[in-house]
Amino acid sequence: MMLLDFLPITKEDMKKRRWDELDFIFVTGDAYVDHPSFGHAIVTRLLESLGFKVGIISQPNWKTAEDFIKLGKPKIAFLVSSGNIDSMVNHYTVNKKRRSEDAYSPGGKGNLRPDRAVIVYCNKIREIFKDVPIIIGGIEASLRRFAHYDYWDDKVRRSILLDSSADLLVYGMGEKQIIEIANLISYGKKITDLNDINGTCYITKDISKLTNYIEIPSYEEVAKDKLKYAEAFKIQYLEQDPIKGKILVQKHGNIYLVQNPPAKPLTVEEMDFIYSLPYKRTYHPIYKKYGGVPALKEVEFSIVSHRGCYGGCSFCALHFHQGRIIQKRSRESIIEEAKKLTSMPNFKGYIHDIGGPTANFRNPSCKAQLERGICKTRQCLHPNPCPNLEVSHEEYLDILRQVRNLPKVKKVFIRSGIRYDYVLLDKSDKFLIELIKNHISGQLKVAPEHVCDRVLKVMGKPSKKVYDKFVKKYFEYNKKFGLKQYLVPYLMSSHPGSDLKAAIELAEYIRDMGYNPEQVQDFYPTPGSLSTTIYYTGVNPLTGEKVYVPKDPEEKKMQRALLQFRDPKNYDLVYKALIKAKRTDLIGYDKKCLIPPKKKERK
């Protein structure tokens, strides 16, 4: 029976439910927020719905045993996750400086989880409970399942499954896997028997019984040979397919990491069920005295409509986590959740988002994906749209219309981002028109990332002319409707492929559009992305092409400064960059110049 309350976090909570023992204990690096945007909430509520007794240990003190033993020993297993973000990304900027705040902690306080949280938590659990199965999952485990380049150590690390001493790794979103695991163990299977569940990885000394598998270069090979690393990544990338993907094996010393193929996509009915579970939709009351958990504010009145993305951006790791095949909820499920939001006491009339990784990808890119899997040899949108790409915003528009017409709803925003190239492929402009009229407030954020076509090619993004076409159409419609709304482009510096010449080209574009970006993002080599592999190896593993990678700290500072050349603090770096690139024509008083001459040169 599901109780309309938070899951146990203390023995007293267990007593209220008349539980002497828990089946599962979920250890997470995030504060306990019972909302479907938090992985621990989905997994624990799903297990609860199946009749399992589940408790949560949130942000335990990893230096002692006290927090880890407070709920006792679980009957089936510990589930361990670093939280919604990789703990190293959570803790450090791209310059490897420690962040002072953590949006996923009470009051935004930092340092409430360790670096490499999955490894630290698991090792502490193993130290205390020698024989209890440990299952790891979430973004940190998922994207570090193979031997992987680690930006913070600046070296290749082993699979996190070895360093954590866990028994099983769940990669991807995890619902199908955790249901199968929980049921099999409750029926008497041992954790060591669970070697054939899709969407999981395990360690073994013997692969003689495996069939139809691919062995990729070993940890030892990829750690010392960058081309071998690129080769291993390419195979992982191409086999990330729930329909046709093969078992992958990677040797680490005298043992093997085995990855089963990805879990099958969730059906609409399965997605609806997951999002209908009795979430409290807020943080646990213990955090009230700290002012709550900041990360909740962004998602409290947002609705996840689907998962997956076929956009193919090189710097995004969604390919390895949610995958390219769109998995969606029904209209009815989304509208029902919207109604729940309007009944919440602090609802002010605004739904902040209805979307997913890319808001306007409502359906799979083509029907063939669901039958024969994703294409290995090409992307759906890049470098040119696939002829089989199905383009329609009708279903998404219908949902937006129904939600914005609900009582108490003043406005529905779209904040999860849209693919403007996909918008332009639609034969009808109805979506763009309704977006401009009804779903933004003063400005629309889009992500061209760059304007130099050779950089955009490495990024997997559409060409500059596509972005320019969208900008033109956007402002034409705003003018037609008597609106004065802006475009705020996300821009990235120092991505592989970007040299000073490309950065200056982007700076000139910023000059011409009269926009001074308040925030720019340095490329951040996070685990699991194609761009990170290019950063480490200097090679695009999918094509074999060599790629220029800006790694010199001074050059990276210059590239970043060029994107904000109007800021007086950046003058010296911009000046240095223009001199180095032999672009002194951009120093002066002409309207085409980026900066004026130095004072001593003005005489």
Side-chain angles (χ1 to χ4, degrees), residues 549-563:
V549 178
K551 288 189 177 180
D552 176 66
E554 186 71 5
E555 183 190 345
K556 291 178 74 174
K557 287 178 183 177
M558 287 191 283
Q559 288 207 30
R560 184 185 177 98
L562 280 161
L563 271 62

Side-chain angles (χ1 to χ4, degrees), residues 1 110 133 202 218 260 382 401 479 505 509 534 554 558:
M1 181 179 68
Y202 63 94
S218 69
N260 289 314
H382 182 80
R401 289 168 186 152
K479 185 177 180 181
E505 184 178 335
Y509 189 88
I534 298 173
E554 186 71 5
M558 287 191 283

Side-chain angles (χ1 to χ4, degrees), residues 293-310:
V293 179
L296 177 65
K297 293 176 184 176
E298 277 297 308
V299 297
E300 187 175 11
F301 296 108
S302 296
I303 300 172
V304 174
S305 62
H306 64 277
R307 296 177 182 171
C309 182
Y310 51 82

Side-chain angles (χ1 to χ4, degrees), residues 8 39 70 97 135 144 180 193 207 211 244 248 288 296 368 448 507 514 573:
K70 66 181 181 181
K97 293 181 180 178
I135 301 164
R144 295 174 179 270
E180 191 171 354
D193 298 330
I207 59 170
T211 58
K244 297 182 301 185
L248 299 183
K288 191 171 183 180
L296 177 65
L573 282 168

Side-chain angles (χ1 to χ4, degrees), residues 7-34:
L7 294 168
I9 63 170
T10 65
K11 280 281 191 179
E12 289 71 26
D13 292 342
M14 290 169 61
K15 286 177 184 176
K16 288 176 185 176
R17 292 183 174 228
R18 299 180 182 176
W19 292 355
D20 297 320
E21 181 183 41
L22 295 169
D23 296 312
F24 292 95
I25 297 175
F26 197 120
V27 179
T28 174
D30 287 342
Y32 178 19
V33 181
D34 192 29

